[in-house]
Amino acid sequence: MNAQINVLYVSTSAADAQVLKTLLAGDETGASVRLIPARTAQAFFDALYSEDNYQVAVVDDKQPWSDWQSVIAALSKGRPDALQVLLVEADRPERQVAALAEGLAVVYPRCSAGLVALARLLSKLAARDQGFSLRQESGTVADGAEEESEEERAKLVYAVSHDLQDPLQLARRYAEILNDDFEQELGDSGSNVLGHLQFNLGRTQEMLDELLDYSRLQNTEVDREPIDLNELLDEVKGLYRLTLEEIGGRITCQQPLPTLAVDRRHFHRLFQNLIGNAIKFRGDRPLQITVRSQRVRDEWRIGVKDNGIGIAEQDTKRIFGMFERAGASEDQPGTGMGLAICKRIVQNHGGNIWVRSTPGDGSVFIFSVPLNDDSVEVRAE
Ligand code: ADP
């Protein structure tokens, strides 16, 4: 069960409180932290003498209504069990040292890095009773050096994509605050620059999310169940129905697809990525997507064929790598992670994925699902 902690946040800065809330909301442990802001002396004393239970009190050292020592003294008396955290002016380490010398255990600078550290501390406190950390993955211990380095790589990708979320969310939140509260001061050209900044931060967020998705697929168990691929394809068609109507595109299936024991969620993503790409990289002709399946020896092969722009020979392998794009222009949506994710999904099922393409004519993406596993069911030939 998740623990909940109450945090009294004594600060006049509404922006810092908002940023802290954003950081806490993005935390993956699911731990819950309730932030109770006290911006005025009245609010502080109301909270101090309220019935609420506070496990932590965060105090900004710059209060217009009192010096921080008096606030801390009042807290020590009224809330002796609450952990006290002081936020001091950034770039003034002597303040930090002075506060530590006065017996405060936790002192952070009042800046983005300090707020990130504070959010981490609060999440850790709230997650304390949950008894596990997302960082401690329970993957099997690899024997060979190669497997070990693969595992190391996977951990690195996870750690990078996970740890960059905090500073990025912080940057996005600050940009939002600028947008919402400082429109007048920014003027037209300032707002224009801010627009570009927000666009790029959004793109970075998209890339990071995809990287995190990819990294989660690296150590995941495949949750196999018999899936009728015709139904799955219909679901994906439904997602793109409006777009297809708008562009006059068609998706057809040459014969019924098989039912295979695969991970429903992952195969949905696989079909969605492949069909989404066929739509995105369509040519001038009306789009025609054809899905085919064929049993080849001990595996099923599924092909998604389009009549789009095609892919140059030299790019046909590279595009399955992380963040690799070929014909896509910069302002076309996408991050270059879609096919890397498809490859990971197919490989997790023991199969392979590749593409055959003629530039200007179209492409066919083919993936295989081996039948050497007893759990694979077949209903259509
Ligand atoms: P994204 O779609 O985000 O660019 P993907 O990993 O899904 O990333 O695809 C990588 C690249 O492969 C694309 O940028 C595009 O150049 C090329 N590509 C993928 N699918 C197709 C397709 N059906 N037709 C033509 N090119 C494609």
Side-chain angles (χ1 to χ4, degrees), residues 137-152:
E137 285 155 32
S138 58
T140 48
V141 180
D143 315 302
E146 207 174 286
E147 280 174 57
E148 210 167 279
S149 75
E150 176 62 30
E151 197 175 309
E152 283 302 306

Side-chain angles (χ1 to χ4, degrees), residues 60-289:
D60 190 323
D61 76 342
K62 232 169 63 188
Q63 302 296 336
W65 43 272
S66 175
D67 59 83
W68 67 264
Q69 286 92 341
S70 309
V71 178
I72 292 286
L75 279 167
S76 303
K77 227 167 139 204
R79 299 289 174 159
D81 296 330
L83 173 72
Q84 297 168 352
V85 179
L86 189 71
L87 295 178
V88 301
E89 196 174 337
D91 305 325
R92 298 284 296 273
E94 71 279 8
R95 292 240 174 134
Q96 235 164 313
V97 173
L100 289 167
E102 292 205 30
L104 271 153
V106 191
V107 183
Y108 289 132
R110 197 176 39 242
C111 62
S112 332
L115 289 179
V116 169
L118 174 58
R120 288 244 167 92
L121 174 76
L122 296 177
S123 301
K124 266 197 197 139
L125 288 174
R128 205 170 35 178
D129 298 330
Q130 285 180 266
F132 76 96
S133 150
L134 280 176
R135 299 284 171 78
Q136 292 160 4
E137 285 155 32
S138 58
T140 48
V141 180
D143 315 302
E146 207 174 286
E147 280 174 57
E148 210 167 279
S149 75
E150 176 62 30
E151 197 175 309
E152 283 302 306
R153 240 195 322 267
K155 277 191 186 156
L156 180 70
V157 171
Y158 179 79
V160 168
S161 47
H162 177 266
D163 290 357
L164 287 180
Q165 295 282 352
D166 279 353
L168 181 62
Q169 279 187 18
L170 200 66
R172 293 187 75 191
R173 193 69 192 109
Y174 278 123
E176 255 172 54
I177 292 169
L178 271 181
N179 197 31
D180 296 345
D181 303 342
F182 295 88
E183 209 186 339
Q184 300 268 311
E185 287 89 335
L186 283 173
D188 279 351
S189 39
S191 295
N192 195 17
V193 172
L194 182 59
H196 289 298
L197 176 68
Q198 285 187 301
F199 173 80
N200 282 294
L201 287 174
R203 243 182 114 71
T204 312
Q205 182 77 61
E206 233 179 278
M207 290 170 84
L208 223 46
D209 289 345
E210 296 255 38
L211 191 59
L212 198 55
D213 275 357
Y214 176 79
S215 110
R216 286 199 184 107
L217 281 170
Q218 286 187 304
N219 282 325
T220 196
E221 285 279 314
V222 173
D223 191 7
R224 288 183 193 260
E225 54 176 322
I227 299 297
D228 181 344
L229 296 187
N230 303 289
E231 279 173 22
L232 200 75
L233 182 63
D234 280 344
E235 279 174 29
V236 176
K237 272 189 200 169
L239 287 179
Y240 291 113
R241 192 172 55 82
L242 289 180
T243 314
L244 288 168
E245 274 171 21
E246 202 177 300
I247 62 173
R250 267 161 48 93
I251 303 180
T252 50
C253 224
Q254 283 190 339
Q255 74 276 76
L257 300 172
T259 292
L260 300 177
V262 293
D263 188 308
R264 157 174 273 282
R265 209 163 46 87
H266 293 168
F267 260 56
H268 191 280
R269 179 94 190 253
L270 175 64
F271 274 104
Q272 192 181 334
N273 281 1
L274 294 179
I275 288 175
N277 275 350
I279 295 174
K280 190 157 54 170
F281 301 107
R282 64 185 181 275
D284 296 331
R285 292 170 287 179
L287 175 66
Q288 172 65 55
I289 302 172

Side-chain angles (χ1 to χ4, degrees), residues 292-331:
R292 281 196 60 194
S293 60
Q294 196 179 0
R295 171 99 185 251
V296 181
R297 289 180 295 277
D298 53 356
E299 63 184 25
W300 272 94
R301 287 189 186 171
I302 317 283
V304 179
K305 186 173 185 290
D306 64 54
N307 59 349
I309 59 172
I311 299 158
E313 171 70 32
Q314 70 269 21
D315 293 327
T316 50
K317 287 214 166 67
R318 182 172 71 78
I319 51 173
F320 291 96
M322 286 199 278
F323 297 119
E324 292 287 358
R325 310 188 83 191
S329 69
E330 267 306 296
D331 37 288

